[in-house]
Amino acid sequence: MIAAFCKRFSCAGAKYGSYFYRAMGESLSLQKVEYMFGIVGVPIIEVAMAAQAAGIKYVGMRNEQAACYAASAIGYLTGRPVVVIGGSSDRNQETAGAFQEFPQVEACRLYSKFSARPSSLEAIPSVIEKAVRTSMYGRPGACYVDIAGDMVNAKVDRIVSCCPPPPVSLADHGAVTEAISVLKAAKRPLVIIGKGAAHGRAEIALRKFVKMSGLPFLPTPMGKGVLPDDHPNCVAAARSRALLQADVVLLLGARLNWILHFGLPPRFDPDVKVIQVDLCAEEMGNNVRPAVALLGDINAIVTQLLECVHKDGWKYPSDTEWWSTLKDKIVANAKISKALALQSTLPMNYYTVFHHVSQLLPHDCIIVSEGANTMDIGRTMLNNYLPRHRLDAGTFGTMGVGLGFAIAAAAVERSRNKGRRIVCVEGDSAFGFSGMEVETMCRYNLPVVIIVVNNNGIYSGVDPETWKEMAKMGDLTAIAPPVTLLPEARYDKIMAALGGRGFLVRTVEELRSALQLSLSDWEKPSLLNILIDPSSDRKQQEFPWLTRSNL
């Protein structure tokens, strides 16, 4: 399977009069595919080679899932989604029990925007063009192209042009005016900035809108950095209070799904009015009926809102009771986190680790994060200052995305040569899903800094002494808690064995020294294996939601 990323440019048509492999490579190149990620095997090896011959960068991964994660990350970072190319059995062997025979096209239709097998060799260029176009028009999403085995040795002659960029649509002017009226009438307004705003490149217009309107804003996890986390109007540190008490929410490219608690009580005011801005019509009204629905391009609509605010001259006052409430909660939460961060006991806790990591990370680094507590606590303590500089497990909470995301980000940064660091923050459980991708990093000399926050388990583990005592009691499969992993596993030695730098970290001094050294090394990847207290946990949560347990 090969996951192909596509880069936007204008281009003219091309004529194909070559064998399948060259035609496939040239078809992808014509659509401005810049990267491929995958694991090759017969007959896909030649497709990857043909792609390289056509100027496409091929990154060989260790796991097919990681290949798709990498492609999706590059799509997000650069604005073009994923096209997946897979091989299948010969067409004349269908239903006969061919090698790895499976209804791939039908299966992928459930999970992709477009899934097709070219009916003939001549159809390959047009199918590739449609897959690329479909992937980026409307709500972006992955597309799948299936190539039958008997197509690989024939010729094709076809002319196809590059697909045009997506059209930009504006919201109805009357609806925009109504949205401003609802905002002006609000006593406790809140702007929620979602991943859609980041994908829509809305940061410049949004920065002007927030400054001119004076509204408080809250980013979703993947919306962090669209506006800087240290922006004076950012109320992320008072998230629960802001969501619960807001009477009007301007929802910019975010879904009212589990991440935002479906927009429902007890996390939201039952009478909250939602102004929903989204590119996808089907998303409007999910879970909460919007007071105003603004359908179209996020950047274009924010610009429309900005123009209305500018013309009207309205600005939400900075001395309201609402602002006082939010600022008081921000200060109170900061005191709790700081007290945990400054604890000097060993092993360290999450807050101590992230406190010192945050002090050393450059403001322009791209932070990749996955895990349970590692991701949740890290999101609140590791600031993002630039758009599309945070990649995490996203809507599905998928573990295993981290190293693939980091490889993709490192590949993009290498091609751009902007000198930005890629820092991948992993829980030890999450690292295990795709840990062998450190070999990919070492093979391509990608200077990713991996930070494994190791608590010896999933959510929590046990210390080495407790593990030894349990082992004396009998078969660990019958005794060890299901959440436990091997205490103090040496993930750092895996990196070192493959040619990178590995650091075992137990203290604050070791953490700061290892991280500073890793950030200064542009030649090879590094891994910091930070051993923390296995019982370390998040600060007390007012609403436990996904972290609740009967244990």
Side-chain angles (χ1 to χ4, degrees), residues 319-383:
D319 58 352
T320 61
E321 183 180 351
W322 178 228
W323 263 120
S324 297
T325 298
L326 293 174
K327 289 178 180 179
D328 289 346
K329 187 61 176 176
I330 289 171
V331 171
N333 284 341
K335 287 182 179 178
I336 296 172
S337 295
K338 186 176 182 179
L340 290 168
L342 296 181
Q343 288 182 1
S344 58
T345 56
L346 294 177
M348 295 181 287
N349 63 42
Y350 285 104
Y351 292 87
T352 301
V353 169
F354 288 129
H355 171 72
H356 290 280
V357 169
S358 67
Q359 290 184 339
L360 296 175
L361 291 187
H363 280 199
D364 65 349
C365 73
I366 294 178
I367 299 174
V368 180
S369 183
E370 64 171 331
N373 288 335
T374 297
M375 184 171 66
D376 291 339
I377 299 172
R379 182 181 65 249
T380 65
M381 298 193 67
L382 300 179
N383 283 348

Side-chain angles (χ1 to χ4, degrees), residues 382-455:
L382 300 179
N383 283 348
N384 291 94
Y385 303 93
L386 295 169
R388 295 167 297 282
H389 277 54
R390 176 181 171 84
L391 300 166
D392 66 23
T395 302
F396 289 105
T398 308
M399 293 297 99
V401 300
L403 273 65
F405 282 1
I407 288 168
V412 170
E413 287 307 307
R414 171 173 289 177
S415 66
R416 291 175 172 175
N417 196 29
K418 291 189 176 181
R420 291 184 290 206
R421 298 311 310 247
I422 312 301
V423 180
C424 183
V425 185
E426 301 272 307
D428 51 331
S429 172
F431 177 77
F433 281 81
S434 57
M436 273 308 296
E437 295 301 339
V438 298
E439 186 275 332
T440 308
M441 296 177 182
C442 291
R443 185 175 1 122
Y444 293 109
N445 296 318
L446 298 173
V448 175
V449 178
I450 302 174
I451 298 174
V452 178
V453 185
N454 187 351
N455 70 343

Side-chain angles (χ1 to χ4, degrees), residues 480-498:
V483 296
T484 55
L485 299 173
L486 181 66
E488 300 188 356
R490 296 300 301 272
Y491 303 115
D492 52 298
K493 288 191 173 183
I494 297 176
M495 176 63 87
L498 293 167

